[in-house]
Amino acid sequence: MSDLAKAAGQEWDVIVVGGGITGAGILREAARCGLKALLLEQKDYAWGTSSRSSKMVHGGLRYIAQGQIRVTKESVQERERLLKEAPGLVNLGSFAMPHYEGKFPGPLAFGTLLNVYDFLAGKRAHRFESQTTVDHNLIPGLRQEGLKGATLFRDAIVDDARLVMRTLDEATQDGATALNYCKVASLIKDSGRVCGVVVNQGENSHSIAARVVISATGAWSDNLRKDVGQEPVVRPLRGSHLVLPAWRLPVAQACCFMHPDDKRPVFVFPWEGATVIGTTDLDHTTSLDDEPVISAEEVEYLLKAANSEFPSANVQREDIVSSWSGVRPVISSGKDIDPSKENREHAIWDDSGLISVCGGKLTTFRLISREALEMASSYLPGYTVPAVENNAVLFNSPETPPDDTRFLALGADLQNRLSGRYGVRLPEMLVLAGDEDFERVGVTDFLWLELRWAAKAEQVKHLDDLLLRRTRIGNLLPDGGRELFDRIKTVMLNDAGWNESQWQSELERYQGLWRQAYSI
Ligand SMILES: Cc1cc2nc3c(=O)[nH]c(=O)nc-3n(C[C@H](O)[C@H](O)[C@H](O)COP(=O)(O)OP(=O)(O)OC[C@H]3O[C@@H](n4cnc5c(N)ncnc54)[C@H](O)[C@@H]3O)c2cc1C
């Protein structure tokens, strides 16, 4: 019997639709509270926006600039919490904002914003550095004309897809069930009230009952809300990124500056040993069922940004290793305004028992998830979402740190990285590993051990699940990792039980997808 058929044979307290960070967060909180919870994702976990963000866990300087102090405070507190609970997965990052003569933002105005930022975080963590220090020590290669200096501040960086996996894993350890490649086709209603979902798989259609259904389908939210008579509200806005080898544009910190054409903030930042340029913000008009793809105009826009700020780098199209695009789940104001002027706040609705949550950001996923669950609790008599206790951890660690000598030989950074990504699963992973599995995958910080673990234990159904979300090899290595396909094949045959013909068709699928949506 398939996992889906087994799930259909049970009655659930909560069905969560959508396996991005919001759905994962809701599942985590629901399971922690003892609810019987099932998550269904139409494609792969984090396939939606949650593997395609700019990877920043941040307070959101734009919120302070707009006077939204409460939102900034919550974001900064969540950032601090994630840094504390998931070190190695969420890491402190250094950020720099260069200042130019007569250009916005000046050091004084920016410093004032950061004073508030630091006050809310309870730490002073910014400083201004002069033009000479910036040029000689901090950000060599930065445009010199009119450069006054730069403000350095701190925020955090995450692997967003791994944050989803870690959150799902914590939920399943608490008894929840999560299934990928299970698309909710429609809702079941009883006297007009939503009481379950229908999932079609192959020839079979499965009806699954629940006391409440929560849609955490982000940019896809309108689809299920249509089933309960609601008008569309989402304005899907695409943001794209380019990945370069670090040596082509080496940066030690995330450098934020204004695009010369439209004065939007753009980042050049170090990520996973590469340099990333991002992002854009424009209406996404192609089908949400397909992978979002960077346009030629976006490539030019991002290259222009990087080359105007780092003129001597002279980055060309040929330098680009890969790209990725994501769609922001933005609630439309209904006005004909510039995409960047749309509000990025999340919204939660209750439509005849379908709770839908849409918008927001990675950083505050725990708070958004709790809010959605609170609204759902009116359909769960006898149940209330417990108040936030300061010591209620989101992520657990192994009771005793692993003492495998091969793990210890990796050094503190890689140990920390693995602990942050795999939490209490780490000891099991290490048992699985042969000595050769501690080698890095190409020039990346991923280890072969991680591929083997994903193939065995992380519901990898397609090659792109493994190379674009469980790991980022597809974005970090030339041609999506082509040089390593033979060894990856061995992993999939041995650990995932694939056969030769399955490997061949998966390889074709992956290469087609990579050419279409992850190259330029
Ligand atoms: C370019 C870009 C940069 C960003 N940068 C940042 C950043 O640096 N920091 C930050 O905090 N935030 C950032 N964000 C925002 C953040 O990424 C999103 O807010 C967050 O990932 C949304 O998560 P989600 O779970 O709500 O949606 P998603 O991750 O999109 O998850 C929704 C899921 O629902 C699934 N689904 C849809 N319909 C169905 C169905 N019928 N049945 C089953 N499953 C279904 C989809 O496949 C999808 O996986 C960025 C967003 C973009 C686009």
Side-chain angles (χ1 to χ4, degrees):
M1 196 194 284
S2 71
D3 290 338
L4 181 61
K6 278 187 214 149
Q10 304 170 50
E11 185 154 334
W12 300 87
D13 290 324
V14 183
I15 290 179
V16 182
V17 189
I21 191 59
T22 310
I26 296 168
L27 194 75
R28 169 76 186 109
E29 292 297 321
R32 194 221 297 270
C33 299
L35 289 167
K36 190 169 175 209
L38 168 70
L39 180 142
L40 300 165
E41 161 57 45
Q42 63 172 350
K43 299 206 181 192
D44 186 29
Y45 303 124
W47 175 85
T49 312
S50 298
S51 58
R52 302 162 189 272
S53 77
S54 299
K55 328 290 181 212
M56 291 170 195
V57 171
H58 56 162
L61 282 169
R62 65 183 272 165
Y63 294 125
I64 311 186
Q66 293 163 352
Q68 298 186 51
I69 301 295
R70 185 187 57 80
V71 182
T72 316
K73 185 173 180 196
E74 284 175 356
S75 305
V76 166
Q77 286 174 347
E78 286 302 295
R79 179 193 71 192
E80 294 303 308
R81 186 186 175 104
L82 286 166
L83 279 167
K84 192 165 137 219
E85 280 194 22
L89 173 59
V90 182
N91 294 312
L92 206 54
S94 174
F95 286 65
M97 168 67 87
H99 303 290
Y100 293 93
E101 213 64 64
K103 294 274 160 52
F104 179 82
L108 198 63
F110 197 65
T112 308
L113 282 187
L114 287 172
N115 280 335
V116 182
Y117 211 54
D118 288 352
F119 173 74
L120 296 173
K123 289 180 184 151
R124 183 171 169 84
H126 75 274
R127 64 181 199 276
F128 176 78
E129 293 289 357
S130 70
Q131 183 264 344
T132 322
T133 313
V134 169
D135 184 37
H136 293 176
N137 299 317
L138 291 172
I139 324 172
L142 201 62
R143 176 162 57 94
Q144 291 299 301
E145 288 161 67
L147 181 66
K148 294 204 300 202
T151 302
L152 299 186
F153 59 105
R154 69 199 274 284
D155 254 321
I157 300 278
V158 66
D159 181 331
D160 46 8
R162 289 293 345 167
L163 182 66
V164 172
M165 292 310 293
R166 178 87 200 263
T167 309
L168 285 174
D169 191 47
E170 295 285 344
T172 52
Q173 284 174 54
D174 269 353
T177 301
L179 301 176
N180 58 357
Y181 293 98
C182 290
K183 179 173 179 167
V184 170
S186 59
L187 301 169
I188 306 170
K189 290 171 222 147
D190 182 10
S191 311
R193 171 149 121 61
V194 174
C195 59
V197 301
V198 176
V199 179
N200 299 329
Q201 201 174 54
E203 311 238 299
N204 301 319
S205 175
H206 299 274
S207 298
I208 316 179
R211 294 163 77 194
V212 66
V213 177
I214 306 180
S215 162
T217 51
W220 292 261
S221 296
D222 287 340
N223 295 349
L224 287 181
R225 291 190 77 224
K226 196 166 141 213
D227 232 18
V228 282
Q230 297 302 316
E231 294 294 321
V233 292
V234 177
R235 181 174 178 185
L237 296 176
R238 186 172 69 241
S240 299
H241 301 79
L242 297 175
V243 182
L244 307 172
W247 65 267
R248 270 310 275 112
L249 181 47
V251 281
Q253 42 245 313
C255 191
C256 177
F257 53 92
M258 302 302 163
H259 195 284
D261 291 347
D262 58 8
K263 314 293 178 241
R264 278 189 58 252
V266 179
F267 285 89
V268 170
F269 59 98
W271 182 68
E272 292 290 334
T275 296
V276 177
I277 313 170
T279 176
T280 54
D281 197 8
L282 72 173
D283 283 301
H284 180 71
T285 49
T286 53
S287 168
L288 285 171
D289 289 338
D290 301 329
E291 295 263 347
V293 179
I294 191 168
S295 66
E297 291 74 25
E298 287 175 278
V299 174
E300 291 314 314
Y301 175 93
L302 292 173
L303 287 179
K304 184 168 184 184
N307 286 328
S308 74
E309 201 62 16
F310 295 91
S312 56
N314 192 21
V315 179
Q316 302 294 320
R317 288 178 68 92
E318 299 70 57
D319 296 316
I320 298 166
V321 176
S322 72
S323 68
W324 79 78
S325 299
V327 181
R328 297 180 183 87
V330 171
I331 317 290
S332 172
S333 60
K335 297 180 192 146
D336 183 19
I337 55 172
D338 187 79
S340 294
K341 300 234 157 56
E342 292 281 13
N343 194 317
R344 304 295 151 109
E345 284 271 306
H346 69 280
I348 305 181
W349 305 273
D350 175 356
D351 307 304
S352 315
L354 173 71
I355 309 296
S356 302
V357 49
C358 177
K361 50 191 187 136
L362 290 171
T363 313
T364 44
F365 78 93
R366 193 182 66 97
L367 299 179
I368 297 173
S369 306
R370 289 178 57 88
E371 225 183 286
L373 209 50
E374 262 160 33
M375 193 178 275
S377 64
S378 62
Y379 297 95
L380 299 163
Y383 165 82
T384 44
V385 181
V388 186
E389 315 104 281
N390 286 337
N391 58 358
V393 294
L394 195 56
F395 300 115
N396 291 295
S397 309
E399 274 169 20
T400 48
D403 59 1
D404 186 310
T405 49
R406 301 164 305 172
F407 173 72
L408 297 177
L410 292 172
D413 283 354
L414 275 180
Q415 286 173 26
N416 201 27
R417 179 182 162 95
L418 289 173
S419 304
R421 283 158 184 256
Y422 299 97
V424 296
R425 299 287 181 197
L426 187 56
E428 276 177 77
M429 278 177 84
L430 296 175
V431 168
L432 173 82
D435 291 349
E436 65 290 353
D437 296 326
F438 287 86
E439 288 166 16
R440 285 169 194 257
V441 181
V443 293
T444 72
D445 282 340
F446 289 96
L447 302 185
W448 284 96
L449 164 64
E450 297 180 76
L451 273 83
R452 290 201 54 209
W453 175 254
K456 230 182 171 64
E458 293 192 324
Q459 295 187 39
V460 167
K461 305 268 169 36
H462 293 289
L463 192 53
D464 43 293
D465 303 343
L466 182 73
L467 301 184
L468 295 169
R469 288 172 290 278
R470 302 299 179 280
T471 69
R472 301 312 183 117
I473 290 159
N475 269 119
L476 295 171
L477 295 180
D479 293 324
R482 191 169 60 178
E483 278 198 352
L484 299 171
F485 286 163
D486 283 348
R487 187 161 171 188
I488 295 169
K489 174 180 167 183
T490 308
V491 169
M492 294 316 288
L493 266 56
N494 292 344
D495 289 307
W498 288 8
N499 58 34
E500 181 68 36
S501 78
Q502 194 175 2
W503 166 260
Q504 279 311 328
S505 69
E506 282 298 331
L507 189 59
E508 260 171 53
R509 172 194 148 106
Y510 169 69
Q511 289 188 293
L513 196 74
W514 190 87
R515 275 193 297 273
Q516 178 226 334
Y518 294 87
S519 62
I520 58 156

